[in-house]
Amino acid sequence: MNILFFDIETVYDEDNKQDLEKLMEKFWNKIDFMPELNQVLTICCWTIKEDWSNYISNLKWTEKEQIEQFFQLIWKYTNLCWFNILNFDLPFMIKRALIYGIKIPDKLKFYGKKPRELNYLIDLQEVYKMNVRGWIGNLDLISHHLWLDSPKDKMAWDQVQEYHDTNRDDEIIEYCKKDVLATIQVYEKFLKLNLI
């Protein structure tokens, strides 16, 4: 098995603080998801080795360096897996990479590609949706549905900015790692039940 599981956590981009304040009213319900106004705080990566033991790390240093590290890392893996990988995490990182002039890897060029050409991207949200449109829940809900431990034991995604503002980034990184672990558990459950 050669899969890279990962997650990102994002916070407001301090360099865009004035723009953020101006646009807060207009985009108040989408502001947390806009790479134009937010930045990557941490990227946590987890792999399953051949003996099924786990290895986890979080990429460090600046946002630019984290994205560069991640883009270099993905070449070592046949598959990338996450929950909502196609609608948030990868597009977010790609758009942030544009700000820094980081070249986008061919593996992450999605435009014009057919779904079968992107089969190396395992989006567990898409697997769970089963081609049904509309909201189908989040990782926490699906973990509960599958009788798995929820990663949301101390904080939730909408508290990330608050934790960052109070200098609690280490706790955000731990939260991010727990999300990745939950993703692996969901993946293993889907695999065991022949869903993927």
Side-chain angles (χ1 to χ4, degrees):
M1 178 177 298
N2 190 9
I3 302 175
L4 180 68
F5 297 87
F6 71 95
D7 183 24
I8 68 172
E9 297 301 334
T10 64
V11 293
Y12 297 150
D13 184 350
E14 290 298 319
D15 293 337
N16 288 324
K17 200 163 188 178
Q18 288 182 340
D19 292 335
L20 186 67
E21 289 170 359
K22 289 178 190 173
L23 295 171
M24 191 69 85
E25 283 186 36
K26 189 172 184 180
F27 298 108
W28 67 271
N29 61 336
K30 298 183 177 82
I31 207 87
D32 293 328
F33 304 106
M34 295 176 66
E36 297 83 4
L37 299 172
N38 292 264
Q39 64 182 351
V40 175
L41 175 70
T42 186
I43 306 172
C44 291
C45 302
W46 200 316
T47 62
I48 300 178
K49 298 179 181 178
E50 288 182 9
D51 63 355
W52 286 88
S53 62
N54 295 325
Y55 171 76
I56 189 167
S57 66
N58 71 294
L59 305 183
K60 298 178 180 178
W61 302 296
T62 66
E63 179 189 34
K64 179 177 184 285
E65 289 167 329
Q66 287 188 76
I67 293 171
E68 288 174 331
Q69 285 181 67
F70 182 79
F71 284 0
Q72 292 169 6
L73 187 62
I74 62 173
W75 289 112
K76 298 178 182 179
Y77 297 90
T78 307
N79 299 96
L80 304 177
C81 182
W82 179 235
F83 190 87
N84 202 18
I85 191 174
L86 293 169
N87 293 316
F88 180 69
D89 298 77
L90 287 180
F92 192 101
M93 279 194 279
I94 291 167
K95 289 175 183 177
R96 292 302 295 177
L98 297 177
I99 294 170
Y100 298 110
I102 300 171
K103 189 175 180 181
I104 309 304
D106 288 340
K107 201 170 188 177
L108 298 184
K109 291 181 184 174
F110 309 140
Y111 178 74
K113 289 188 178 177
K114 297 175 181 175
R116 68 175 176 272
E117 296 176 283
L118 298 173
N119 61 3
Y120 56 91
L121 300 175
I122 305 169
D123 189 334
L124 296 180
Q125 185 180 65
E126 293 300 315
V127 173
Y128 191 74
K129 277 171 69 172
M130 301 178 194
N131 291 329
V132 176
R133 292 186 180 185
W135 188 83
I136 53 88
N138 54 32
L139 183 60
D140 186 36
L141 179 64
I142 292 171
S143 295
H144 282 299
H145 181 65
L146 298 174
W147 298 96
L148 300 170
D149 291 333
S150 169
K152 319 292 188 189
D153 56 349
K154 290 184 179 177
M155 63 181 289
W157 71 268
D158 57 353
Q159 296 176 293
V160 170
Q161 185 65 47
E162 176 189 336
Y163 275 58
H164 176 65
D165 291 342
T166 53
N167 300 311
R168 297 166 71 183
D169 287 354
D170 287 346
E171 292 176 70
I172 297 171
I173 291 170
E174 287 306 310
Y175 165 78
C176 190
K177 288 178 179 179
K178 288 178 181 179
D179 262 2
V180 180
L181 178 56
T183 302
I184 291 176
Q185 292 172 338
V186 170
Y187 173 83
E188 290 173 346
K189 191 87 168 186
F190 284 178
L191 195 63
K192 183 179 178 181
L193 298 174
N194 202 34
L195 191 58
I196 51 177

Coordinates of all heavy atoms in Angstrom, one line a residue, residues 149-191:
D149 N -13.9 6.0 16.7 CA -13.7 7.1 17.6 C -13.7 8.4 16.8 O -13.0 8.5 15.8 CB -12.4 7.0 18.4 CG -12.5 5.8 19.4 OD1 -13.6 5.5 19.8 OD2 -11.4 5.2 19.7
S150 N -14.3 9.4 17.3 CA -14.3 10.7 16.6 C -13.0 11.5 17.0 O -12.6 11.5 18.1 CB -15.5 11.6 17.1 OG -15.4 12.9 16.6
P151 N -12.5 12.2 16.0 CA -11.3 13.0 16.3 C -11.6 14.3 17.0 O -10.7 15.0 17.5 CB -10.7 13.2 14.9 CG -11.9 13.3 14.0 CD -12.9 12.2 14.6
K152 N -12.9 14.6 17.0 CA -13.3 15.9 17.6 C -13.5 15.8 19.1 O -14.5 16.1 19.6 CB -14.6 16.4 16.9 CG -14.7 16.1 15.4 CD -13.7 17.0 14.6 CE -14.0 16.8 13.2 NZ -13.0 17.4 12.3
D153 N -12.4 15.5 19.8 CA -12.6 15.3 21.2 C -12.4 16.6 22.0 O -12.9 16.8 23.1 CB -11.7 14.2 21.8 CG -10.2 14.5 21.4 OD1 -9.9 15.4 20.6 OD2 -9.3 13.8 22.0
K154 N -11.6 17.5 21.5 CA -11.3 18.7 22.2 C -11.6 20.0 21.5 O -12.0 21.0 22.1 CB -9.8 18.8 22.6 CG -9.4 17.7 23.7 CD -8.0 17.9 24.1 CE -7.6 16.9 25.1 NZ -6.2 17.0 25.5
M155 N -11.5 20.0 20.2 CA -11.8 21.2 19.4 C -12.5 20.8 18.1 O -12.4 19.6 17.7 CB -10.6 22.0 19.2 CG -9.5 21.3 18.3 SD -8.0 22.4 18.1 CE -8.6 23.6 17.0
A156 N -13.1 21.8 17.4 CA -13.7 21.5 16.1 C -13.1 22.5 15.1 O -12.4 23.5 15.5 CB -15.2 21.8 16.2
W157 N -13.4 22.3 13.8 CA -12.8 23.1 12.8 C -13.0 24.6 13.0 O -12.2 25.4 12.7 CB -13.2 22.6 11.4 CG -14.7 22.9 11.1 CD1 -15.7 22.2 11.3 CD2 -15.1 24.2 10.5 NE1 -16.9 22.8 10.9 CE2 -16.5 24.0 10.4 CE3 -14.5 25.3 10.1 CZ2 -17.3 25.1 9.9 CZ3 -15.3 26.3 9.6 CH2 -16.7 26.2 9.5
D158 N -14.2 24.9 13.5 CA -14.5 26.3 13.6 C -13.9 27.0 14.8 O -14.0 28.2 15.0 CB -16.0 26.5 13.6 CG -16.7 25.8 14.8 OD1 -16.1 25.0 15.4 OD2 -17.9 26.0 15.0
Q159 N -13.1 26.3 15.5 CA -12.3 26.8 16.6 C -10.8 27.0 16.3 O -10.1 27.6 17.1 CB -12.4 25.9 17.8 CG -13.8 25.8 18.4 CD -13.8 24.8 19.6 OE1 -13.6 23.6 19.4 NE2 -14.1 25.3 20.8
V160 N -10.4 26.6 15.1 CA -9.0 26.7 14.7 C -8.5 28.1 14.8 O -7.4 28.4 15.3 CB -8.8 26.1 13.3 CG1 -7.4 26.4 12.8 CG2 -9.0 24.6 13.4
Q161 N -9.2 29.1 14.2 CA -8.8 30.5 14.2 C -8.6 31.0 15.7 O -7.7 31.7 16.0 CB -9.8 31.3 13.4 CG -9.3 32.8 13.3 CD -8.0 32.9 12.5 OE1 -7.9 32.3 11.4 NE2 -7.1 33.7 13.0
E162 N -9.6 30.6 16.5 CA -9.6 31.1 17.9 C -8.3 30.5 18.6 O -7.7 31.3 19.4 CB -10.8 30.6 18.6 CG -10.9 30.9 20.1 CD -12.1 30.1 20.7 OE1 -13.1 29.8 20.1 OE2 -12.0 29.9 22.0
Y163 N -8.0 29.3 18.4 CA -6.8 28.7 19.0 C -5.6 29.3 18.5 O -4.6 29.6 19.2 CB -6.8 27.2 18.7 CG -7.5 26.3 19.6 CD1 -8.9 26.5 19.8 CD2 -6.9 25.3 20.4 CE1 -9.6 25.7 20.7 CE2 -7.6 24.5 21.2 CZ -9.0 24.7 21.4 OH -9.7 23.9 22.3
H164 N -5.5 29.6 17.2 CA -4.4 30.3 16.6 C -4.2 31.7 17.2 O -3.1 32.1 17.5 CB -4.6 30.4 15.1 CG -3.5 31.1 14.4 ND1 -2.2 30.7 14.3 CD2 -3.5 32.3 13.7 CE1 -1.4 31.6 13.7 NE2 -2.2 32.6 13.3
D165 N -5.3 32.4 17.3 CA -5.2 33.8 17.9 C -4.8 33.8 19.3 O -4.3 34.8 19.8 CB -6.6 34.4 17.8 CG -7.0 34.7 16.3 OD1 -6.2 34.7 15.5 OD2 -8.2 34.9 16.1
T166 N -4.9 32.7 20.0 CA -4.4 32.6 21.4 C -3.2 31.8 21.6 O -2.9 31.2 22.6 CB -5.6 32.0 22.3 OG1 -6.0 30.8 21.8 CG2 -6.7 33.0 22.4
N167 N -2.4 31.7 20.5 CA -1.1 31.1 20.5 C -1.1 29.6 20.9 O -0.2 29.1 21.6 CB -0.1 31.9 21.4 CG 0.1 33.3 20.9 OD1 0.3 33.5 19.7 ND2 0.0 34.2 21.8
R168 N -2.1 28.9 20.4 CA -2.2 27.4 20.7 C -2.1 26.6 19.4 O -2.8 25.6 19.2 CB -3.6 27.2 21.4 CG -3.7 28.0 22.7 CD -5.1 28.0 23.2 NE -5.6 26.8 23.7 CZ -6.9 26.5 24.1 NH1 -7.7 27.5 24.1 NH2 -7.2 25.3 24.5
D169 N -1.1 26.9 18.6 CA -0.9 26.2 17.4 C -0.5 24.8 17.5 O -0.8 23.9 16.7 CB 0.2 26.9 16.5 CG -0.2 28.2 15.9 OD1 -1.4 28.6 16.1 OD2 0.6 28.9 15.3
D170 N 0.2 24.4 18.6 CA 0.5 23.0 18.9 C -0.7 22.2 19.0 O -0.8 21.0 18.6 CB 1.4 22.9 20.2 CG 2.8 23.4 20.0 OD1 3.2 23.6 18.8 OD2 3.5 23.6 21.0
E171 N -1.8 22.7 19.6 CA -3.0 22.0 19.8 C -3.7 21.9 18.4 O -4.4 20.8 18.2 CB -3.9 22.7 20.8 CG -3.4 22.7 22.2 CD -4.3 23.5 23.2 OE1 -5.4 23.1 23.5 OE2 -3.8 24.6 23.6
I172 N -3.6 22.8 17.6 CA -4.1 22.7 16.2 C -3.5 21.6 15.5 O -4.1 20.8 14.8 CB -4.0 24.1 15.5 CG1 -4.8 25.2 16.2 CG2 -4.5 23.9 14.0 CD1 -4.6 26.6 15.6
I173 N -2.1 21.5 15.6 CA -1.4 20.5 14.9 C -1.9 19.1 15.4 O -2.1 18.2 14.6 CB 0.1 20.6 15.1 CG1 0.6 21.9 14.3 CG2 0.9 19.4 14.6 CD1 2.0 22.3 14.6
E174 N -2.1 18.9 16.7 CA -2.5 17.7 17.3 C -3.9 17.4 16.7 O -4.3 16.2 16.4 CB -2.5 17.7 18.8 CG -1.1 17.6 19.4 CD -0.3 16.4 18.9 OE1 -0.9 15.3 19.0 OE2 0.8 16.6 18.5
Y175 N -4.8 18.4 16.7 CA -6.1 18.2 16.1 C -6.1 17.7 14.7 O -6.8 16.8 14.2 CB -6.9 19.5 16.2 CG -8.1 19.6 15.4 CD1 -9.3 19.0 15.8 CD2 -8.1 20.3 14.2 CE1 -10.5 19.1 15.0 CE2 -9.3 20.4 13.4 CZ -10.4 19.8 13.8 OH -11.6 19.9 13.1
C176 N -5.2 18.3 13.9 CA -5.0 18.0 12.5 C -4.5 16.5 12.4 O -5.0 15.7 11.5 CB -4.0 18.9 11.9 SG -3.8 18.8 10.1
K177 N -3.6 16.1 13.2 CA -3.1 14.7 13.2 C -4.3 13.7 13.5 O -4.4 12.7 12.9 CB -2.0 14.5 14.2 CG -0.7 15.2 13.9 CD 0.3 15.0 15.0 CE 1.7 15.6 14.6 NZ 2.7 15.4 15.7
K178 N -5.1 14.1 14.4 CA -6.3 13.2 14.8 C -7.2 13.1 13.6 O -7.8 12.0 13.4 CB -7.0 13.8 16.0 CG -6.2 13.6 17.3 CD -6.9 14.2 18.5 CE -6.1 14.1 19.8 NZ -6.8 14.7 20.9
D179 N -7.4 14.2 12.9 CA -8.2 14.1 11.7 C -7.7 13.1 10.7 O -8.4 12.3 10.0 CB -8.4 15.5 11.0 CG -9.7 16.2 11.4 OD1 -10.4 15.6 12.2 OD2 -9.9 17.3 10.9
V180 N -6.4 13.1 10.5 CA -5.7 12.2 9.6 C -5.9 10.8 10.0 O -6.2 9.9 9.3 CB -4.2 12.5 9.4 CG1 -3.6 11.6 8.4 CG2 -4.1 14.0 8.9
L181 N -5.7 10.5 11.3 CA -5.9 9.2 11.9 C -7.3 8.7 11.7 O -7.6 7.6 11.3 CB -5.6 9.2 13.4 CG -5.8 7.8 14.1 CD1 -5.0 6.7 13.4 CD2 -5.4 8.0 15.6
A182 N -8.3 9.6 11.9 CA -9.7 9.2 11.6 C -9.9 8.9 10.2 O -10.7 8.0 9.9 CB -10.6 10.4 12.1
T183 N -9.3 9.6 9.3 CA -9.4 9.3 7.9 C -8.9 7.9 7.5 O -9.5 7.2 6.8 CB -8.6 10.4 7.0 OG1 -9.1 11.7 7.3 CG2 -8.8 10.1 5.6
I184 N -7.8 7.6 8.1 CA -7.2 6.2 7.9 C -8.2 5.2 8.4 O -8.4 4.1 7.7 CB -5.8 6.1 8.6 CG1 -4.8 7.0 7.9 CG2 -5.4 4.6 8.6 CD1 -3.5 7.0 8.5
Q185 N -8.8 5.4 9.6 CA -9.7 4.4 10.1 C -11.0 4.3 9.2 O -11.4 3.2 9.0 CB -10.2 4.9 11.5 CG -9.0 4.8 12.5 CD -9.4 5.4 13.9 OE1 -10.3 6.2 14.0 NE2 -8.7 5.0 14.9
V186 N -11.4 5.4 8.6 CA -12.6 5.3 7.7 C -12.2 4.6 6.4 O -12.9 3.7 5.9 CB -13.1 6.7 7.4 CG1 -14.1 6.7 6.2 CG2 -13.7 7.4 8.6
Y187 N -11.0 4.9 5.9 CA -10.4 4.2 4.7 C -10.4 2.7 5.0 O -10.8 1.9 4.1 CB -9.1 4.7 4.4 CG -8.4 3.9 3.3 CD1 -8.7 4.2 1.9 CD2 -7.5 2.9 3.6 CE1 -8.1 3.5 0.9 CE2 -6.9 2.2 2.6 CZ -7.2 2.5 1.2 OH -6.6 1.7 0.2
E188 N -9.8 2.3 6.1 CA -9.7 0.8 6.4 C -11.0 0.2 6.5 O -11.2 -1.0 6.1 CB -8.9 0.7 7.7 CG -7.4 1.0 7.5 CD -6.6 1.0 8.9 OE1 -7.3 1.0 9.9 OE2 -5.4 1.0 8.8
K189 N -12.0 0.9 7.1 CA -13.3 0.3 7.2 C -14.0 0.2 5.9 O -14.6 -0.9 5.5 CB -14.2 1.3 8.1 CG -15.5 0.7 8.5 CD -15.4 -0.1 9.8 CE -16.8 -0.4 10.4 NZ -16.7 -1.0 11.7
F190 N -13.9 1.2 5.0 CA -14.4 1.1 3.6 C -13.7 -0.1 2.9 O -14.4 -0.8 2.2 CB -14.1 2.4 2.9 CG -15.0 3.5 3.2 CD1 -14.9 4.8 2.7 CD2 -16.1 3.3 4.2 CE1 -15.7 5.8 3.0 CE2 -17.0 4.4 4.5 CZ -16.8 5.6 3.9
L191 N -12.4 -0.2 3.1 CA -11.7 -1.3 2.4 C -12.2 -2.6 2.8 O -12.4 -3.5 2.0 CB -10.2 -1.1 2.7 CG -9.2 -1.9 1.8 CD1 -9.3 -1.4 0.3 CD2 -7.8 -1.7 2.3

